[in-house]
Every structure is written in structure tokens, then in C-alpha cells.
Amino acid sequence: QVQLVESGGGLVQAGGSLRLSCTVSGSIFSINVMGWYRQAPGKQRELVAAITSGGSTNYADSVKGRFTISRDNPKNTVYLQMNSLKPEDTAVYYCKLRGATFSSSTWSPNKEYDYWGQGTQVTVSS
């Protein structure tokens, strides 16, 4: 079993900051990409930021210059530092990773799958 536990969401005024964390536990063997998505009411889920195991990052245009994604590989944790928050950043933020568990029968990684966290609410008031 692989579990992703997010924390750090909450209510903040426009212009404020929040830091989201997502820690992976369970039988994950290798992690490729980690990232954050968000979904606002009535809208589709969208990519916010992603980071590879080597540290390469990708951001949605709407958050460039305001959000920073980072990861601590030994701790299997990814962070999202959100500064200069705007009301339009209000959404449920989901952690996602692409990784593999280990097969004791073949002594090799299983196929990679995408795993999701349960989401954490971020509300920015104007």
C-alpha cells in the first residue's frame, strides 16, 4: 500500500503565504515525478507544479514566480511554497506521484503507477 498524506492547507488573506507538504509512506520503492494539482469548484483539475527526481521543475503559467516546488528525496516528501496568494488560487490541492513498488518475486521494480493524496483545502480571501 502506498499512502500520500498532505498537510498545510488553510485560510489565508490575499497576498499571504502557505506551505503545503506531502509525505509518502508505505511500500513505495522508487519515485519518479512528484507534483501538485488543484481543483476549484466547477473546474477541472489542473497541474500546478511538478518536480522530477533530479530536481527539474515545471509550473503552470498562473503560478510562475509565486509558487516554488521542492522535494526531500530521503524523506519522500514534496513541498509547495505558495507566496502572493490570490483568491483565484482557492482550490483543493492534491499531491500526486508517479512511482513503483518492488516485486520480491522478480527482484525488480513493478510497473510505475500514479498515486494521489486525499487533498487539502486552500482558501484565499480577498
Side-chain angles (χ1 to χ4, degrees):
Q1 303 290 346
V2 177
Q3 297 88 34
L4 282 68
V5 179
E6 299 127 330
S7 61
L11 173 64
V12 65
Q13 289 188 334
S17 298
L18 284 174
R19 188 191 193 209
L20 304 183
S21 299
C22 173
T23 299
V24 184
S25 63
S27 57
I28 195 71
F29 174 71
S30 62
I31 300 175
N32 187 354
V33 183
M34 302 184 79
W36 294 90
Y37 280 71
R38 67 185 181 187
Q39 187 166 21
K43 294 188 176 181
Q44 290 188 333
R45 192 172 295 190
E46 62 175 0
L47 173 68
V48 177
I51 184 168
T52 68
S53 57
S56 298
T57 58
N58 184 67
Y59 295 93
D61 288 341
S62 59
V63 307
K64 283 181 180 177
R66 300 188 297 124
F67 290 11
T68 302
I69 189 170
S70 61
R71 64 190 278 178
D72 186 333
N73 290 329
K75 294 183 178 180
N76 283 346
T77 299
V78 62
Y79 305 96
L80 185 68
Q81 178 66 44
M82 305 185 293
N83 299 328
S84 303
L85 282 161
K86 305 175 181 179
E88 49 264 43
D89 294 319
T90 295
V92 177
Y93 284 69
Y94 297 91
C95 177
K96 176 184 176 181
L97 74 86
R98 177 162 296 173
T101 56
F102 185 79
S103 170
S104 58
S105 59
T106 63
W107 199 246
S108 62
N110 289 314
K111 178 183 176 182
E112 286 189 336
Y113 281 102
D114 291 340
Y115 299 91
W116 291 88
Q118 80 287 352
T120 184
Q121 177 69 46
V122 171
T123 302
V124 184
S125 63
S126 56

